[in-house]
Amino acid sequence: MTEMTIDPRALRDAFGAFPTGVTVVTTRDAEGRPIGFTANSFTSVSLDPPMLLVCLARTSRNFATMTGTHRFAVNVLSENQKDVSNTFARPVEDRFAAVSWSDAPSGAPVFDDVAAWFDCALDSVLEAGDHVILLGRITAFGNSGRNGLGYARGGYFTPRLAGRAVSAASEGQLDVGAVVERNGDILLIGDETLSLPACEVLDGDPATALIGHLEEVTGLSITVGFLYSVFEDKAGGRQHIVYRAFASDGVPRSGAFHAPASLGGRTFDTASTEDIVNRFALESSIGNFGVYVGDESAGRVHAISMKGA
Ligand SMILES: Cc1cc2nc3c(=O)[nH]c(=O)nc-3n(C[C@H](O)[C@H](O)[C@H](O)COP(=O)(O)O)c2cc1C
């Protein structure tokens, strides 16, 4: 039997189909300085004795400290902590400047406003290919009842954002559109002036209406993913929902796929489209997608900076 050749990039994408929460694992180094990194490989392991695990890449700058420590904490991020997740995933000088935190009983940092936290004694470090498994024995924990932050296919999702989409769908006139991706490129309609594919939804489920519209416009098969943006165009009195979507191979009937980096200086139909395309360009460069909620001028973008490493 011939073995399948595994493409690591494709494998990572397939792993990304499994929705997870997001944690930040923390400890202190030999000088007592707090260190921490974002991890979605957290898994509960055992109730008796109480145990959990998290996988750490061998490439981590803090590999020696994390595997040599006796104590660590796992912070389960809440739905408003996307920026914390991004900070602890990037090579930021002082990651802890971005959060309010205090000491768990072990001295490992625990953040304010997390969904839950676990203080652990390091039980063992198990070899696991290009990662190690940190197996922790839980010595203390807290559970705030806040919703956890979700992560799947390189994007964050939150229960509250899904709720906003539902209420947007029930309030007034609704446009639903998509950032349609294929191999990192984005589908835009038009030659001189570029727009996102979108349609008006009069009734029914917005995502179902969107798939029908996108398949008709492109002639391709479309999968709709998580929400990308929910905003209100106050001037036009319309609600807008933008999803991420993924297109099959083939030449689209209308529009064309563009590399995000090639779109500088192009003209867009609205400032909102331009913002969304710029965000897509930035976020696709670090493989990490944020979520925008607000109106067309004063929304809250969970800003994500470029990953330097
Ligand atoms: C949502 C998300 C989940 C991540 N999960 C893990 C993980 O489980 N294990 C890991 O080693 N890195 C993970 N990373 C990558 C690290 O957070 C990132 O490489 C970080 O820069 C490591 O920091 P360090 O080198 O200071 O340890 C994840 C990143 C993101 C954005």
Side-chain angles (χ1 to χ4, degrees):
M1 200 171 76
T2 50
E3 273 191 29
M4 182 182 174
T5 311
I6 303 279
D7 169 19
R9 172 72 212 233
L11 179 61
R12 195 172 65 175
D13 290 349
F15 280 153
F18 183 60
T20 65
V22 184
T23 72
V24 172
V25 181
T26 58
T27 189
R28 285 180 183 267
D29 67 13
E31 282 75 46
R33 285 184 301 248
I35 63 163
F37 70 98
T38 300
N40 69 338
S41 55
F42 165 84
T43 302
S44 58
V45 174
S46 165
L47 290 175
D48 187 15
M51 299 183 98
L52 59 75
L53 70 78
V54 67
C55 301
L56 170 68
R58 290 187 168 279
T59 51
S60 162
R61 294 174 306 159
N62 293 303
F63 186 81
T65 308
M66 285 302 322
T67 53
T69 188
H70 296 295
R71 296 279 183 171
F72 67 95
V74 177
N75 292 273
V76 179
L77 300 186
S78 60
E79 62 180 336
N80 294 325
Q81 293 183 311
K82 289 184 270 287
D83 50 347
V84 177
S85 170
N86 289 322
T87 298
F88 281 80
R90 288 189 284 120
V92 173
E93 183 69 31
D94 180 7
R95 289 173 170 165
F96 286 82
V99 281
S100 299
W101 56 279
S102 54
D103 286 346
S106 71
V110 166
F111 303 161
D112 291 359
D113 302 327
V114 289
W117 58 270
F118 303 94
D119 199 14
C120 298
L122 183 65
D123 182 276
S124 39
V125 179
L126 309 170
E127 299 295 320
D130 55 13
H131 282 59
V132 291
I133 299 169
L134 303 176
L135 194 59
R137 186 182 279 250
I138 298 159
T139 50
F141 71 96
N143 179 6
S144 72
R146 289 185 180 83
N147 284 325
L149 176 62
Y151 190 77
R153 294 211 186 276
Y156 297 108
F157 62 93
T158 71
R160 189 174 302 164
L161 187 75
R164 288 213 195 205
V166 172
S167 63
S170 64
E171 288 165 17
Q173 294 182 296
L174 177 69
D175 283 328
V176 58
V179 169
V180 182
E181 303 169 46
R182 195 171 66 195
N183 303 328
D185 293 346
I186 179 171
L187 178 77
L188 292 165
I189 309 295
D191 298 323
E192 293 297 310
T193 303
L194 301 174
S195 60
L196 294 172
C199 62
E200 194 177 1
V201 180
L202 299 172
D203 51 30
D205 172 39
T208 308
L210 179 64
I211 293 178
H213 176 74
L214 294 175
E215 293 196 336
E216 190 184 315
V217 166
T218 62
L220 305 174
S221 122
I222 300 284
T223 311
V224 166
F226 288 112
L227 285 166
Y228 195 64
S229 186
V230 180
F231 63 98
E232 185 187 354
D233 165 10
K234 288 216 172 96
R238 301 181 75 82
Q239 302 283 341
H240 296 260
I241 301 179
V242 179
Y243 287 87
R244 288 179 72 198
F246 305 89
S248 63
D249 286 343
V251 179
R253 210 180 275 149
S254 5
F257 285 94
H258 299 261
S262 71
L263 291 167
R266 298 296 300 266
T267 308
F268 297 93
D269 61 338
T270 64
S272 305
T273 303
E274 187 166 1
D275 282 351
I276 288 171
V277 170
N278 286 340
R279 249 186 74 204
F280 177 80
L282 177 65
E283 292 173 5
S284 59
S285 70
I286 60 169
N288 198 348
F289 293 85
V291 158
Y292 170 101
V293 179
D295 63 30
E296 80 278 25
S297 57
R300 202 153 50 89
V301 179
H302 300 280
I304 296 172
S305 310
M306 299 286 284
K307 188 170 188 173

